[in-house]
Amino acid sequence: MIPRYSRPEMVAIWSPETKYRIWFEIEAHACDAMADLGVIPRENAEAVWKAKDVTFDVARIDEIEAVTKHDVIAFLTHLSEHIGSDQARFVHQGMTSSDVLDTTTNVQLVRAADILLADMDRVLAALKTRAFEHKDTVRIGRSHGIHAEPTTMGLTFARFYAEMDRGRARLVNARAEIATGAISGAVGTFANIDPRVEEHVCKQLGLTPEPISTQVIPRDRHAMFFATLGVIASSMENIATEVRHMQRTEVLEAEEFFSPGQKGSSAMPHKRNPVLSENLTGLARLVRMSVTPALENVTLWHERDISHSSVERAIGPDTTVTLDFALNRLAGLIEKLVIYPDNMLANMNKFRGLVMSQRVLLALTQAGVSREDSYKLVQRNAMKVWEKGADFKTELLADPEVTAALSPAEIEEKFDIGYHTKHVDTIFVRVFGES
């Protein structure tokens, strides 16, 4: 991913230096286990660890690979340059390249997941703070983009919190599912390496041995991991889209923080655009772009092919780096989002009480009017608000068929906003638990 949408900690996970360091640890831990089992001499295993403080020369490895056309062999050759060819002769004993490559990929994905979980904690904390801040801030709820009935800004934040919390739970599960390693040799039969070597290496790396692998770790695990990131990205876009709507000039119920000196347009000095939300929408598309290739990687020929390899070299770093950046941008957006409660009330009252139509409808049915006739009466008066700018309550009070069923006081009571917010506390307990 380009530096513009990258954060150093996540980028570092995917650097060649980090990759080669993990490769080294896998090989060194495997040598320890084989020495414990008496397969190789202890002094050879100890000699490998002499390279533990070595900074592996990426350029040199690339130079060797240009000849060998094999990245793992190039690394092993470079390692032997540091510890001596005789001491290195038992390195990679009974192993195959995928043992190193797949186990490393999973270590990297686990580390990436840990960063993403921390990112999501920041997003969740921001959403929770804003939810309680605006628990009772009334705004109009919309369906199909049209005014529906009153809700609160706190409920909007709480809804996004619950969605992101589900995403976090999915990521915890995806992390657990991807945290496997395989040191099982060619076609995964352990013919040339003891399963106890795999157990030792995985324990040292914080992984669980893959119950059964071929020459590769099954890619359904990776498919679920990237699918989870895709769902999180969609939830992120869901929030961003709401902000984009709220910042529209005709709405202006909230807007992204506009810092001193910031400029919204090269041509129009008055502009304050929802650039962060729009950026998040685009980044969500990039994250989701990895999902289909990850699903297609599940299908491999027989015990191994490398059709998945080129895909994962791209989507591993690109997807995690992008989502890491995006989640932090989202958290900052939420933390600094400017809310306009007065505009929310003004928008809700724009159509002069029209949003209370369901309460009147239900009251008429409870007063003995058929639902069909009740709907007709309410809609008849509602259309005058839409078409003529009339006041809904005034029209109802002037309609003899309505007042025949409901008294003026009963009609008046149906316009109490508090009726719509009476269960906000109940919903908050469901989402956030008892305070």
Side-chain angles (χ1 to χ4, degrees):
M1 179 48 60
I2 62 175
R4 184 181 183 93
Y5 304 129
S6 305
R7 299 195 329 136
E9 186 181 6
M10 185 67 86
V11 170
I13 288 175
W14 300 100
S15 71
E17 292 81 5
T18 299
K19 178 181 71 173
Y20 294 137
R21 175 55 48 186
I22 300 170
W23 286 14
F24 167 75
E25 291 175 3
I26 291 170
E27 298 286 2
H29 287 309
C31 285
D32 275 346
M34 286 187 279
D36 289 343
L37 294 170
V39 176
I40 69 172
R42 168 55 58 187
E43 57 267 26
N44 287 81
E46 292 174 350
V48 176
W49 282 108
K50 292 178 181 178
K52 66 183 176 63
D53 296 321
V54 167
T55 299
F56 296 108
D57 188 338
V58 176
R60 174 59 181 151
I61 296 172
D62 289 344
E63 180 184 359
I64 298 170
E65 186 181 354
V67 176
T68 64
K69 303 298 190 294
H70 197 291
D71 53 356
V72 175
I73 292 175
F75 170 77
L76 295 173
T77 301
H78 182 53
L79 178 59
S80 71
E81 291 175 342
H82 285 286
I83 63 176
S85 58
D86 184 63
Q87 300 282 28
R89 63 196 176 100
F90 295 114
V91 173
H92 208 66
Q93 179 93 353
M95 294 168 60
T96 187
S97 297
S98 292
D99 291 335
V100 178
L101 296 171
D102 283 13
T103 303
T104 297
T105 295
N106 285 8
V107 169
Q108 290 171 307
L109 290 175
V110 166
R111 293 178 183 179
D114 288 338
I115 293 176
L116 292 173
L117 286 168
D119 295 341
M120 296 196 75
D121 286 340
R122 183 185 170 196
V123 171
L124 288 166
L127 288 168
K128 183 176 181 178
T129 296
R130 301 315 298 268
F132 278 92
E133 178 186 353
H134 291 283
K135 184 172 73 170
D136 300 313
T137 302
V138 177
R139 69 184 295 230
I140 187 63
R142 297 171 173 89
S143 55
H144 306 278
I146 308 301
H147 283 200
E149 291 192 348
T151 183
T152 76
M153 190 65 218
L155 288 177
T156 300
F157 282 123
R159 169 167 58 90
F160 291 140
Y161 177 94
E163 183 173 345
M164 275 293 179
D165 195 42
R166 291 191 296 272
R168 189 190 190 283
R170 295 184 188 109
L171 183 54
V172 168
N173 290 334
R175 181 198 184 280
E177 189 168 351
I178 204 68
T180 68
I183 311 292
S184 53
V187 305
T189 61
F190 295 101
N192 297 298
I193 191 165
D194 194 296
R196 287 173 290 182
V197 175
E198 179 184 76
E199 292 171 5
H200 176 79
V201 173
C202 286
K203 181 179 180 181
Q204 296 302 312
L205 296 175
L207 304 176
T208 299
E210 183 65 43
I212 178 170
S213 60
T214 55
Q215 198 161 310
V216 294
I217 291 175
R219 256 44 192 184
D220 61 293
R221 296 182 181 274
H222 303 73
M224 181 55 69
F225 186 89
F226 287 102
T228 298
L229 301 193
V231 172
I232 292 170
S234 290
S235 295
M236 179 178 69
E237 184 180 7
N238 193 21
I239 299 171
T241 300
E242 180 69 18
V243 174
R244 291 172 67 185
H245 162 76
M246 288 191 292
Q247 191 162 335
R248 291 173 56 230
T249 306
E250 296 83 0
V251 179
L252 201 57
E253 294 180 355
E255 68 172 337
E256 296 174 5
F257 176 73
F258 197 81
S259 61
Q262 183 175 342
K263 294 176 173 57
S265 167
S266 63
M268 297 166 283
H270 72 278
K271 294 296 292 297
R272 285 156 64 129
N273 302 327
V275 292
L276 300 180
S277 303
E278 292 172 347
N279 175 252
L280 288 170
T281 297
L283 294 178
R285 294 169 184 166
L286 289 176
V287 173
R288 288 194 299 267
M289 190 169 65
S290 70
V291 176
T292 296
L295 292 170
E296 292 173 343
N297 277 354
V298 173
T299 304
L300 299 175
W301 281 29
H302 310 302
E303 277 62 50
R304 189 213 183 191
D305 70 49
I306 62 165
S307 58
H308 63 290
S309 176
S310 56
V311 175
E312 290 173 357
R313 288 175 191 265
I315 67 173
D318 282 1
T319 306
T320 57
V321 168
T322 301
L323 187 57
D324 169 53
F325 176 88
L327 286 171
N328 278 275
R329 171 155 285 184
L330 175 64
L333 185 158
I334 296 164
E335 290 162 355
K336 295 183 177 181
L337 189 68
V338 182
I339 307 295
Y340 296 115
D342 290 343
N343 287 355
M344 291 179 176
L345 278 175
N347 284 339
M348 188 175 65
N349 295 325
K350 183 176 181 180
F351 288 94
R352 301 174 182 83
L354 195 61
V355 296
M356 304 299 184
S357 70
Q358 182 176 192
R359 286 210 68 197
V360 181
L361 168 66
L362 296 177
L364 286 169
T365 61
Q366 290 166 353
V369 183
S370 71
R371 182 175 178 85
E372 187 174 309
D373 287 342
S374 296
Y375 196 102
K376 189 180 300 181
L377 289 175
V378 174
Q379 188 179 49
R380 179 172 72 195
N381 289 285
M383 292 304 104
K384 295 177 184 177
V385 181
W386 278 110
E387 296 165 4
K388 300 178 181 179
D391 179 85
F392 186 49
K393 183 167 62 176
T394 300
E395 293 302 316
L396 291 171
L397 290 169
D399 189 323
E401 291 187 74
V402 174
T403 55
L406 300 174
S407 69
E410 288 174 322
I411 293 173
E412 184 74 35
E413 189 273 331
K414 300 304 176 285
F415 289 79
D416 175 23
I417 292 177
Y419 173 88
H420 293 276
T421 61
K422 61 182 180 292
H423 293 303
V424 169
D425 286 338
T426 299
I427 298 171
F428 265 57
V429 169
R430 288 182 174 186
V431 174
F432 300 109
E434 297 284 353
S435 59

